[in-house]
Amino acid sequence: MKEINNDMELKKLVKETRLEKPGNDFTLKVMNRIFDEETAKILNKGIKVLGKNFWVFVLLFVALGITMIILSATGVISGDSSTLLPEASKTITREYQTIFEKIGKVPLSIGAILTASSILLLIERFMSKKNLFS
Amino acid sequence: MEQHDDLYYIEKVKSGLTNHFSYIVENYKDVVFSIALKVLKNRDEAEEMAQEVFIKVYHSLDKFRGSSKFSTWLYSVTYNHCISQVRKKKYDIRSLENVQIADEDDDFNFDGFSEEERREILESALKKLPEDDYTLVILYYYEDQTIEELARVAKLSVSNTKVKLFRARKKLHIILNEMLKEEIDSLL
């Protein structure tokens, strides 16, 4: 009669049992996932949070601002410029006035919403990049 | 092929030879998958969870200092990952209290059963154990983990682990006895 009354015998019996087995390609799947993550991590290191285009736009705006300041200071941009090309100047001035009038009609709240959305999008993009592999 | 211990492969992986991690996966996949399957009761989900455990272990290898056995650390990650997934997905964990533990003799016999039948009965009995008991029994009896190592895995005190293992063993005996009785009754 086979009796089980101590740990050693139970251990021997349990060791005779077969554990459940995953699919044959289990190890391959795990390794593929690891390699994919490693590759993505390497690629991600090369991608900056803010793209090249963003910095080009910023630089253009800064350059434009500086140019405007310099030209204003030297007096090149003044009311006298209309004397050089009177017709062209009138048309440009009219167009500018129309654009600014349209912009002026946009309520301040919409402007604030658009600005806040842009900031949130920027933060979201920054955070998602940071947390991608954490 | 030359056999190496876990630490050899871990050092290789840490030095950048990622493919050596496959040896670790091969060595432990059955235990990790069995525990995951016991918890989730679905092969696809269990395989997914077992994969997640290995990926988690891979990313945490730098945290492994070698103060305990690698297997203990791996089982600890497995146990805690499975338990947290169960809580997250609100799976029905059978409580320890669901099985009445009678103060009866542990002895039972396998008279008249072939080795194959005995193994099948024991496998079925193990499947009937609650998730946490199954994990403790497999790690202690199958994987030769010590009580201290089990305590680390389950994040329990040594004395609590002893009690939990004792109760798990009792439950296994009760289930086995019932199954043996059923088998004998069906033969008569």
Side-chain angles (χ1 to χ4, degrees):
Chain A
M1 185 170 130
K2 173 87 182 158
E3 287 191 335
I4 302 166
N5 53 14
N6 65 44
D7 262 9
M8 290 310 290
E9 281 180 87
L10 184 56
K11 190 177 278 254
K12 197 180 147 207
L13 273 171
V14 172
K15 276 189 180 287
E16 282 174 15
T17 61
R18 289 164 300 194
L19 290 177
E20 295 287 345
K21 288 184 185 297
N24 290 333
D25 56 351
F26 180 82
T27 306
L28 188 69
K29 279 182 187 169
V30 173
M31 293 313 292
N32 280 343
R33 281 177 69 170
I34 288 172
F35 284 127
D36 285 349
E37 287 188 13
E38 287 295 305
T39 310
K41 205 189 272 185
I42 291 162
L43 287 173
N44 191 54
K45 273 183 187 171
I47 300 167
K48 289 178 180 141
V49 174
L50 297 170
K52 199 179 164 187
N53 289 342
F54 173 81
W55 294 112
V56 168
F57 272 108
V58 169
L59 278 174
L60 280 173
F61 272 104
V62 170
L64 190 68
I66 291 168
T67 315
M68 293 288 279
I69 291 164
I70 292 167
L71 292 177
S72 301
T74 53
V76 175
I77 298 177
S78 64
D80 300 337
S81 58
S82 60
T83 53
L84 299 171
L85 289 163
E87 281 307 309
S89 178
K90 272 179 196 169
T91 314
I92 291 166
T93 312
R94 209 181 307 124
E95 288 302 318
Y96 268 118
Q97 272 175 347
T98 316
I99 289 166
F100 283 116
E101 272 168 17
K102 279 178 183 172
I103 291 170
K105 282 174 188 168
V106 175
L108 193 65
S109 56
I110 292 175
I113 289 166
L114 286 171
T115 312
S117 307
S118 308
I119 292 166
L120 284 173
L121 278 171
L122 194 69
I123 291 169
E124 191 274 332
R125 193 177 167 189
F126 181 75
M127 295 303 284
S128 63
K129 289 278 178 191
K130 253 192 134 179
N131 294 332
L132 195 59
F133 294 103
S134 63
Chain B
M1 202 179 102
E2 199 182 346
Q3 289 291 311
H4 296 287
D5 64 2
D6 294 339
L7 285 175
Y8 170 84
Y9 295 114
I10 290 163
E11 287 308 316
K12 288 281 179 195
V13 176
K14 278 184 179 178
S15 69
L17 297 167
T18 307
N19 55 332
H20 280 71
F21 192 69
S22 62
Y23 293 97
I24 301 281
V25 180
E26 270 298 313
N27 207 17
Y28 292 104
K29 63 179 183 179
D30 291 352
V31 181
V32 173
F33 177 70
S34 293
I35 295 169
L37 184 61
K38 179 70 193 172
V39 170
L40 296 172
K41 295 168 183 70
N42 175 299
R43 289 194 78 85
D44 291 337
E45 285 182 25
E47 198 158 307
E48 181 68 23
M49 189 190 279
Q51 284 181 26
E52 282 171 16
V53 166
F54 281 111
I55 289 165
K56 197 172 180 180
V57 164
Y58 172 79
H59 288 306
S60 310
L61 270 186
D62 285 336
K63 289 178 194 160
F64 177 66
R65 301 274 170 240
S67 57
S68 62
K69 265 160 63 181
F70 173 75
S71 56
T72 307
W73 183 68
L74 171 72
Y75 297 143
S76 175
V77 175
T78 307
Y79 185 86
N80 290 301
H81 188 76
C82 288
I83 295 295
S84 68
Q85 288 298 308
V86 164
R87 283 180 189 145
K88 210 183 282 176
K89 293 182 179 178
K90 294 192 176 86
Y91 280 94
D92 176 32
I93 307 176
R94 276 183 287 161
S95 163
L96 278 172
E97 314 313 321
N98 287 352
V99 180
Q100 292 295 313
I101 299 172
D103 189 18
E104 60 184 50
D105 200 357
D106 275 356
D107 296 351
F108 55 93
N109 71 72
F110 274 116
D111 255 1
F113 292 101
S114 69
E115 239 177 69
E116 182 65 20
E117 285 169 332
R118 197 173 66 192
R119 189 167 50 77
E120 277 174 15
I121 291 169
L122 191 60
E123 280 172 6
S124 303
L126 282 169
K127 281 180 187 166
K128 288 184 178 177
L129 276 177
E131 294 82 356
D132 41 2
D133 292 341
Y134 172 86
T135 308
L136 291 183
V137 167
I138 288 295
L139 295 185
Y140 184 74
Y141 292 106
Y142 195 92
E143 286 294 298
D144 296 322
Q145 296 275 299
T146 64
I147 295 284
E148 288 74 20
E149 286 165 345
L150 282 189
R152 268 186 221 167
V153 167
K155 291 192 169 68
L156 293 169
S157 68
V158 171
S159 54
N160 274 350
T161 309
K162 275 183 192 168
V163 171
K164 219 166 151 53
L165 187 66
F166 173 78
R167 288 165 68 92
R169 193 170 55 206
K170 275 276 184 191
K171 279 180 215 169
L172 182 64
H173 281 131
I174 292 164
I175 294 166
L176 269 172
N177 270 329
E178 280 172 5
M179 288 180 73
L180 285 169
K181 271 181 206 162
E182 280 169 21
E183 286 286 330
I184 290 164
D185 288 346
S186 68
L187 291 172
L188 293 173

